[in-house]
Amino acid sequence: MARITASVYTSHVPAIGAAMDLGKDKEPYWQKVFAGYDFSRQWIKENKPDVVFLVFNDHATAFSLEMIPTFAIGTAAEYAVADEGWGPRPVPRVEGAPELASHIAHSVIQQDFDLTIVNKMDVDHGLTVPLSLMCGQPKEWPFKVIPFAVNVVQYPVPSGMRCFKLGQAIRKAVESFDEDLNVQIWGTGGMSHQLQGPRAGLINREWDNKFLDRLIEDPEALAKVSHIEYVNEAGSEGIELVMWLIARGAMADVGGAGGRKPLVKHRFYHVPASNTAVGHLILENQQ
Ligand code: DHB
Ligand code: FE
């Protein structure tokens, strides 16, 4: 059967992708950001998944205000890299996992979470920057990807608790797929940032680090945090962090799955990257 072996959490700041694409990643400013991913790039080589279930948000790139799915699962064989206004990033196309994705769609919808099925979607920095951070600049991405887009851009957005429970349904869906696959689930976006208005530039290190503590130790309680707390404490775009609860909900120690607490393989926090705090965690399920 397929198994979720680990979860990865990371911010997806577009300027990080630009820094890599423009060869600025060795500059001192950016080196401090990328240093936090040296471990991760080695770790993913040693723990190469077959498929990454990549939870991200589209930033009004593939979906405009004309159509706003709350949860959308990519079931396509491949995904083009989006043009976000400066041409597509010079990174490989993303290979999908249509059979597993279709199975997860079926199972999760049967578990009462309605998903939008997406057979064609260009993927923006929300998906490609985490791949670049974790894998560097390969000719091909070393695994298949199931893009899972969450609306955190236009209210009403889903609650942390709904995301956490959805993660549990995704774990059950993966474990009922009858093929031996090593699956990782990634949650992306955050940490604290606000990109517009009088509070633009807001960073809350203390709240961010508390979020990381709680995500590791007590995700069930963290899932009860209200939208208004995210916005007050972590800025308007800090709401992206609810996506991390989908990945955490898919781990083996929650939702009655009976597993042990995950191992914290890596933890990193850094300010600044562009206007944003960068947070990163790797949690491994213990066998
Ligand atoms: C920025 C955009 C994002 O989508 C994000 O998650 C963080 C930062 C930005 O434009 O700086
Ligand atoms: Fe974002």
Side-chain angles (χ1 to χ4, degrees):
M1 85 187 187
R3 278 183 310 113
I4 292 181
T5 54
S7 50
V8 173
Y9 309 80
T10 180
S11 308
H12 61 214
V13 190
I16 292 175
M20 287 180 69
D21 300 344
L22 300 171
K24 294 181 185 239
D25 45 330
K26 298 288 182 297
E27 291 181 1
Y29 177 94
W30 288 111
Q31 196 42 50
K32 296 191 185 82
V33 175
F34 289 107
Y37 291 82
D38 286 345
F39 173 90
S40 315
R41 289 180 180 180
Q42 191 57 37
W43 174 86
I44 198 131
K45 278 188 192 140
E46 290 162 9
N47 298 274
K48 197 173 86 64
D50 300 300
V51 182
V52 169
F53 189 94
L54 205 159
V55 181
F56 76 113
N57 67 292
D58 178 74
H59 300 75
T61 307
F63 308 124
S64 68
L65 291 182
E66 291 177 2
M67 210 183 293
I68 308 169
T70 302
F71 297 118
I73 185 165
T75 47
E78 63 172 11
Y79 305 88
V81 176
D83 182 347
E84 296 181 61
W86 296 270
R89 290 191 59 213
V91 296
R93 290 172 78 83
V94 174
E95 191 186 345
E99 284 187 19
L100 178 59
S102 302
H103 169 84
I104 293 172
H106 182 91
S107 169
V108 166
I109 290 169
Q110 289 291 325
Q111 293 178 69
D112 303 331
F113 289 89
D114 302 318
L115 306 181
T116 299
I117 311 295
V118 179
N119 288 314
K120 187 170 190 295
M121 170 168 63
D122 292 358
V123 287
D124 76 6
H125 69 270
L127 185 133
T128 63
V129 167
L131 288 175
S132 297
L133 277 167
M134 292 298 293
C135 305
Q137 293 165 300
K139 284 220 157 50
E140 304 291 336
W141 299 120
F143 40 72
K144 296 174 179 174
V145 176
I146 298 176
F148 191 85
V150 179
N151 169 39
V152 288
V153 168
Q154 177 66 46
Y155 284 82
V157 307
S159 67
M161 187 57 81
R162 182 142 180 89
C163 290
F164 188 58
K165 289 184 174 159
L166 173 59
Q168 296 168 21
I170 291 166
R171 179 186 55 73
K172 288 183 192 149
V174 168
E175 288 177 356
S176 62
F177 189 63
D178 195 17
E179 192 181 327
D180 278 335
L181 292 176
N182 175 344
V183 179
Q184 290 179 5
I185 183 163
W186 295 9
T188 75
M191 297 210 77
S192 57
H193 63 302
Q194 167 133 359
L195 300 175
Q196 23 62 42
R199 296 201 309 161
L202 177 145
I203 300 285
N204 188 342
R205 292 169 194 257
E206 198 183 329
W207 191 91
D208 284 346
N209 279 290
K210 254 301 198 343
F211 181 92
L212 295 172
D213 293 342
R214 290 188 287 178
L215 189 76
I216 296 165
E217 290 301 330
D218 195 0
E220 179 98 43
L222 181 61
K224 295 184 184 132
V225 166
S226 64
H227 286 149
I228 197 68
E229 178 174 336
Y230 283 94
V231 174
N232 282 338
E233 299 292 336
S236 52
E237 280 71 47
I239 193 66
E240 289 182 338
L241 285 168
V242 294
M243 296 187 289
W244 293 31
L245 283 161
I246 298 180
R248 186 65 182 89
M251 295 300 282
D253 63 322
V254 296
R260 293 157 67 196
K261 281 228 161 289
L263 286 175
V264 181
K265 295 298 286 192
H266 187 52
R267 177 172 173 161
F268 175 66
Y269 183 76
H270 176 76
V271 178
S274 182
N275 304 306
T276 308
V278 168
H280 175 38
L281 271 182
I282 299 178
L283 303 184
E284 261 180 24
N285 272 332
Q286 304 197 56
Q287 294 318 315

